[in-house]
Amino acid sequence: MNVERSELLSGIGHDALWALIEGRHGDPFSILGPHESGGMTIVRVYLPGAEAVDLIDAASGRVVTPFSIAHPSGLFAATASRMGYRLRIKWPDAEQITEDPYSFGLLLGELDLHLISEGTHYSLSRTLGAVDMSIDDVAGVRFAVWAPNARRVSVVGDFNAWDGRRNPMRLRSSAGVWELFVPRLAPGERYKFEIIDAQGTCLPQKADPVARASEAAPSTASIVASSTPFRWTDDGWMKHRPRHDGLEGAMSVYEVHAGSWLRGNGGRSLDWVELSQRLVPYASEMGFTHIELLPIMEHPFGGSWGYQPLGLFAPTGRYGTPEDFAYFVDRCHGAGIGVILDWVPAHFPTDVWGLARFDGSALYEHEDPREGFHRDWNTLIYNLGRNEVKGFLIASALEWLERYHVDGLRVDAVASMLYRDYSRNEREWIPNQYGGRENLEAVEFFKHLNSIVHERCPHALTIAEESTAWPGVTKPPEEGGLGFDIKWNMGWMHDSLSYIEKDPVYRSYHHGTMTFGMIYAYSERFMLPISHDEVVYGKGSLLTKMPGDEWQKFANLRSYLAFMWGHPGKKLIFMGGEIAQPSEWNHDASVTWDVLDRPSHAGLQRLVRDLNVFYAQEPALQFGDFHPEGFEWAAADDAVNSVLGMLRYSQDRSSSVLVVSNFTPVPRYGYRIGVPQDGVWIEQITTDAGEYGGSGLVNGAVSSEPVPAHGRPVSLSLTLPPLATIFLKGPLR
C-alpha cells in the first residue's frame, strides 16, 4: 500500500517530532510502535544510523513491506495488518532481526507501582533494574528505573551503541518509574540510563541503582544479571540455624577484607571460587563460627574498602559474578560457617554516574547540605524521610538475606544516622521537629528495617556499629528500641586496647579501665570487636600496640585475646590479628602469612583456634554473654598486682569456668582466689603454654582448699604466669 509521508506522520505535531529526534520526548510510545490511523495500522521506529528497515511477518518470517523513511534523522514508518511483526534492520555493518520494543504494552502492574511509591516493595530487584524475562514468548530484558523528575529517560548499552535516542522509556507517572522491554537481550549485556532532567540538561549516563551485577571498577556500567535461581545445597543449614542459636550460642567472627586476605600470582585478589577453596576451610579449621566480609556491594573506589558503595544490590565485580558469590556463601554453609555482610545505608559517594542528583534533583539525598552531606567522608546522606528511599534500602538488605542466603548484616555508621548534629558544629545542622538532635526518620527506619528483616528472615542477625550510648539499640521496636540483635561494644574495645597498650608498670593506675565495661555489659547485647579500624591509618598492628620486648609483646597479645574470649560478649577479630601480623593492614597487599614460619606467630594462631574450640564447647562461656546471671567477678579489685578474675556459668550452673589474667610480667605463685565450688578445677588453657610460645608455667589440676577468699568459703592456690590468662573448668555438680 502506498501511503503518503504525511499519513505516516499523521497526528504527530512538529514539536513532538523534533522532541523525538533530539532525544527529548517523554512519551515515545505516543509516536513509536503500532498506531491506528484512518482505518490502518502504522508502525513507526526510530533507528538513527539504520540504512533500511523491513517489516516481517512474525509467524512466517517473510517480508511484508519495507519501511519508508518518514524523517531523514532515522524515523521509519510502514503500514501493517493486525498481525504479529518483527523488524529486519540493516545497519552499515550488520543485519538485525528483532521484535519492536514499542509494540509491547504496560509492563509493571499497578500494585508494583503503588508499593514502590509507598516504600514497601521489598522485592525491588525483581521489579526495578534489569530483569531478563519473556513477554508473549519473546525473550528479552525489562528495564525499569525510578526517576520521577526526569523529562526523558533512555536505556543505553552496547546493544544500541549507547545512543540515548534509540530506546527512550515510558513513564509510569503514578510512581515516577520509567520502563521499557528490549527484546532479544540476554544476561551479560552492559547498560546505563541516559536521563534528561526537568531543565532539559542531559546528565552523565547513570548506572542502575538496582542493578544486580556491575562491571568491575574502574569501569562503571551495570550488567544484566541472570534471573535463573542459584542451585543451593544449604537447605539443612537454613532450616536448622535460627537466629536464636546465634544469640545464645558461641559466636566467634572472623572479619575479612576479601581482596586482601590472600593474594594470588602477580598480587591479584582471589575470586569467590578461590576464596571458597582457601578461606572457608581456614576459618573452619580455626573454629570461627562466622565470616564477616567488609562491604562487597559494588563500590567505585577500592581504597574505601567498600564503605562507599553505589551498587547496593550488586556483588562487586572485583571477585567474580553474582553466582560466584552465591557459591561462596553456599560453601561457607556447607562448612558450618555463617556469613555476615557489612552493609552501608548511611551514605553514598558523589560520583556523577551514581546516585548523586540521579534525575537532576536531590532524589536519594537531601537537598540541604546541612542534612545531606558528610564532610568527614565527602559523601551524600540518604533522605530517610522519603518513602521510596527507605524502601530502596530495606529492599537492598533483604536482597542479601533472601537471594544470597546471608546470615546477618552488620550495619555501618549507625551513630552518624541517629544524630542530626553528627560531626557538625553549631548552626551547621537542622534540628528535628521538636528542636532536638535526634534523627527521628533514622530511628523509624531502623525499627522498620529490623522488624521486616526478622519477620521475613527469621534466621538473620542484624548487628549495629553504634559508637554512642543511644539507649535500646538491641531492644525490640515494640519496647521502644531500634530492634538490632547485637551492638558492637566500642567502649570496651577502646578501653581494653588503651589499657593493654600501656607499659605494665602503669597498668595498676588504670585497673578500672578493664572492669568498667561490666557496669554496662548487659544494657545491650554486645559483641566485642577488634576490627579493621584498629589496625589502619598509622595505628599499627595488634602486635605493635603491645609494650615491651618481643617476648612480652607476644605474651601481652596472647593474654589480651584470651581475656577477650573469657569476657562476656560475642567475639570478632580482624584477619591477621590471629597470627600477630607485624604490620598494620594494607588493603593493597595480603595478610603476611609467611610469619607462620616463626614459632611465636604460629603459637598465637594455635591459641586463637583453641580459644574458639573451647568457647564453642563450653556452655559456661556462652550463657553469660547476654545474661548477667552467667557472670561474676572472681577478683576485680587487685589493681596492685594487675590481676583480674572472672567466673562464667552455664544457664543451669552445672558447669563453671574461672578466667584469671595477670597483666604484669611478674609470675605470681600461690595466688589465692575464691571459687564457688569445692573440688578439683582443671586448667584448660593457659596462654603461657610452651605450644603457644610461652614460658611453660602451668597449673594442671588444682584442688580447692577450705580457705575463704573473695567472699567465698573455698579457694584455689594458683600459679599465675607472667602476662598470661588462664582458664580453669570447675567440678561438675
Side-chain angles (χ1 to χ4, degrees), residues 124-383:
L124 210 56
S125 70
R126 293 159 179 81
T127 305
L128 297 182
V131 181
D132 63 310
M133 58 171 52
S134 292
I135 298 178
D136 298 333
D137 295 325
V138 176
V141 176
R142 184 192 69 201
F143 296 94
V145 63
W146 178 56
N149 302 306
R151 182 180 294 183
R152 189 267 287 166
V153 179
S154 295
V155 59
V156 295
D158 296 321
F159 53 89
N160 62 13
W162 301 88
D163 186 340
R165 297 172 299 170
R166 291 193 187 176
N167 289 123
M169 305 172 77
R170 168 165 40 204
L171 174 64
R172 306 296 299 277
S173 57
S174 63
V177 170
W178 300 75
E179 63 179 19
L180 185 69
F181 178 72
V182 181
R184 304 208 178 195
L185 295 188
E189 287 279 359
R190 301 188 307 152
Y191 72 98
K192 282 186 176 180
F193 295 112
E194 184 176 281
I195 299 174
I196 293 179
D197 69 13
Q199 285 72 46
T201 302
C202 187
L203 305 176
Q205 291 177 346
K206 296 282 189 175
D208 182 0
V210 190
R212 291 187 286 114
S214 299
E215 286 188 295
S219 299
T220 59
S222 303
I223 294 175
V224 177
S226 173
S227 296
T228 302
F230 181 77
R231 301 181 72 173
W232 294 93
T233 64
D234 65 348
D235 287 352
W237 170 274
M238 296 298 288
K239 290 177 182 176
H240 300 109
R241 187 72 177 178
R243 181 168 58 102
H244 178 270
D245 291 351
L247 293 174
E248 297 299 332
M251 188 175 182
S252 181
V253 180
Y254 189 46
E255 188 188 32
V256 171
H257 177 255
S260 60
W261 180 75
L262 178 67
R263 295 274 175 164
N265 295 334
R268 66 173 181 84
S269 297
L270 301 187
D271 61 31
W272 291 121
V273 174
E274 292 169 317
L275 287 167
S276 300
Q277 297 165 346
R278 304 293 295 273
L279 172 58
V280 174
Y282 175 77
S284 177
E285 181 184 347
M286 288 294 294
F288 289 105
T289 64
H290 292 75
I291 292 172
E292 179 176 320
L293 296 169
L294 272 61
I296 55 91
M297 300 80 194
E298 193 57 74
H299 52 282
F301 176 47
S304 75
W305 318 325
Y307 286 102
Q308 293 191 10
L310 275 175
L312 286 190
F313 293 76
T316 177
R318 291 168 173 84
Y319 315 126
T321 66
E323 291 76 17
D324 292 336
F325 175 65
Y327 176 80
F328 172 80
V329 176
D330 199 49
R331 292 299 83 214
C332 285
H333 290 172
I337 296 172
V339 179
I340 298 168
L341 299 185
D342 278 14
W343 181 64
V344 188
H347 58 127
F348 57 91
T350 59
D351 302 71
V352 295
W353 50 267
L355 299 179
R357 301 197 74 83
F358 185 78
D359 64 358
S361 67
L363 193 61
Y364 288 88
E365 69 270 38
H366 296 267
E367 184 70 53
D368 193 322
R370 291 175 296 172
E371 293 184 285
F373 188 72
H374 267 309
R375 290 179 303 178
D376 289 355
W377 304 312
N378 292 320
T379 53
L380 297 168
I381 300 169
Y382 286 104
N383 181 358

Side-chain angles (χ1 to χ4, degrees), residues 461-503:
L461 295 167
T462 58
I463 303 166
E465 189 230 358
E466 202 287 302
S467 55
T468 74
W470 185 280
V473 172
T474 58
K475 274 189 175 181
E478 56 269 24
E479 296 178 18
L482 298 183
F484 287 95
D485 294 299
I486 301 173
K487 172 181 171 174
W488 272 23
N489 194 335
M490 311 292 280
W492 179 90
M493 180 268 296
H494 286 299
D495 288 348
S496 62
L497 279 177
S498 71
Y499 176 88
I500 204 68
E501 289 175 9
K502 289 180 171 58
D503 189 295

